[in-house]
């Protein structure tokens, strides 16, 4: 029986051809010298972003399990596997991205499971993960708070790495825990927690639905049962799951 060549033995030309066949990449990765999205509008993304908060995640994930929700082409899944995570599962509802992720994992020699699944279906996983990554997905959802509630309820065990695009004032208002019905002025405060609803498109992207301001992001995380333990970058939070009161 002839040996099947491993992907890592693919030539640069083979990798280049496969990268092109796999369609348009959102995540730029270096696959043995081949860039998957060299002209990304945010530059070498997500590597340039990751540099700003890589230190906030445990360097050694030996023995840990990781769930990467909205994993796209697997950039964060691969990085967590490189940190020694025992089990990494990446889920995304877009099969094209999962095909890219499987190829990137093979080329980089990482054993990672990728599954087509929506964040709304995480209850079906039937297991909790030491680290949940929920980066860049919230604002693509029509039901963002539901997604956070489901993550808390079904899959988060301890840490959650979270990121959302934010628009509006980045300041945090001093709010009371309650207001009388007649109070209306507070809703006009420029940093009151708000989500901007996008009926049509933002940045030409019809999948942008809700864009929160900073106060709203932080309030939603707390409200769904997460304690913010670090805020290493403007849009990024490291949270710990706590029992909901
Ligand atoms: C902006 S990309 C972020 C990718 C990656 N997490 C990152 O931070 O670079 C959003 C990803 O979320 C995925 N996605 C959107 N809605 C989803 C859903 N309901 N369930 C799972 N994945 C979803 C998209 O297919 C896409 O891969």
């Amino acid at each position: 029986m002839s040996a099947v060549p491993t992907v890592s033995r693919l030539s640069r030309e083979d990798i280049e051809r496969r990268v092109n066949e796999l369609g348009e990449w959102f995540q730029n990765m270096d696959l043995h010298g081949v860039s998957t999205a060299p002209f990304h509008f945010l530059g070498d993304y997500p590597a340039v972003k990751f540099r700003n908060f890589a230190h906030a995640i445990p360097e050694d994930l030996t023995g840990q399990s990781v769930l990467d929700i909205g994993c796209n082409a697997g950039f964060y899944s691969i990085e967590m596997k490189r940190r020694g995570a025992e089990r990494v599962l990446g889920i995304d509802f877009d099969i094209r991205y999962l095909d890219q992720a499987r190829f990137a994992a093979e080329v980089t020699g990482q054993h990672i499971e990728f599954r087509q699944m929506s964040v709304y279906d995480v209850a079906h996983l039937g297991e909790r993960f030491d680290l949940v990554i929920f980066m860049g997905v919230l604002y693509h959802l029509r039901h963002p708070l539901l997604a956070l509630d489901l993550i808390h309820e079904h899959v988060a065990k301890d840490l959650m790495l979270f990121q959302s695009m934010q628009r509006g004032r980045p300041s945090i208002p001093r709010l009371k825990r309650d207001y009388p019905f007649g109070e209306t002025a507070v809703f006009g405060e420029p940093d009151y927690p708000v989500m901007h609803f996008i009926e049509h498109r933002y940045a030409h992207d019809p999948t942008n639905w809700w864009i929160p301001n900073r106060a709203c992001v932080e309030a939603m995380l707390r409200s769904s049962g997460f304690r913010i333990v670090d805020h290493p970058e403007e849009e990024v939070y490291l949270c710990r799951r706590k029992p909901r009161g």
Side-chain angles (χ1 to χ4, degrees), residues 2 25 37 48 50 73 82 92 97 104 126 131 150 155 186 189 209:
S2 64
W25 293 59
V48 282
F50 187 48
R82 283 180 175 146
D92 201 295
Y97 289 138
L131 170 63
L150 290 169
V155 287
V186 69
E189 294 292 329
W209 286 109

Side-chain angles (χ1 to χ4, degrees), residues 150-170:
L150 290 169
I151 291 169
H152 183 278
E153 186 73 23
H154 298 288
V155 287
K157 190 195 286 180
D158 183 22
L159 290 176
M160 178 172 74
L161 180 69
F162 172 88
Q163 181 255 334
S164 174
M165 168 163 55
Q166 297 175 16
R167 290 294 180 267
R169 287 249 182 135

Side-chain angles (χ1 to χ4, degrees), residues 104-187:
E106 272 185 80
V107 172
T108 54
Q110 306 294 344
H111 178 74
I112 298 169
E113 186 188 345
F114 292 104
R115 228 187 269 183
Q116 187 175 25
M117 180 180 268
S118 167
V119 63
Y120 300 124
D121 295 324
V122 288
H124 297 311
L125 289 172
E127 74 180 283
R128 290 189 181 273
F129 295 79
D130 298 298
L131 170 63
V132 172
I133 298 178
F134 190 43
M135 300 278 295
V137 183
L138 187 92
Y139 51 93
H140 289 298
L141 302 176
R142 285 180 66 90
H143 310 288
L145 197 56
L146 172 64
L148 282 172
D149 283 347
L150 290 169
I151 291 169
H152 183 278
E153 186 73 23
H154 298 288
V155 287
K157 190 195 286 180
D158 183 22
L159 290 176
M160 178 172 74
L161 180 69
F162 172 88
Q163 181 255 334
S164 174
M165 168 163 55
Q166 297 175 16
R167 290 294 180 267
R169 287 249 182 135
S171 49
I172 298 294
R174 289 167 63 89
L175 296 175
K176 296 181 190 162
R177 292 187 75 84
D178 193 8
Y179 291 93
F181 186 75
E183 168 64 56
T184 55
V186 69
F187 298 104

Side-chain angles (χ1 to χ4, degrees), residues 198-229:
I198 314 295
E199 185 182 356
H200 300 295
R201 281 165 191 254
Y202 178 63
H204 313 298
D205 186 342
T207 75
N208 286 324
W209 286 109
W210 289 99
I211 310 180
N213 64 4
R214 177 181 165 193
C216 184
V217 166
E218 297 186 7
M220 286 174 77
L221 288 169
R222 287 192 299 271
S223 173
S224 49
F226 292 97
R227 184 164 58 86
I228 296 167
V229 293

Side-chain angles (χ1 to χ4, degrees), residues 13 28 52 57 59 66 81:
E13 288 69 32
N28 189 42
N52 299 329
I57 312 159
E59 189 57 46
V66 177
K81 195 70 190 169

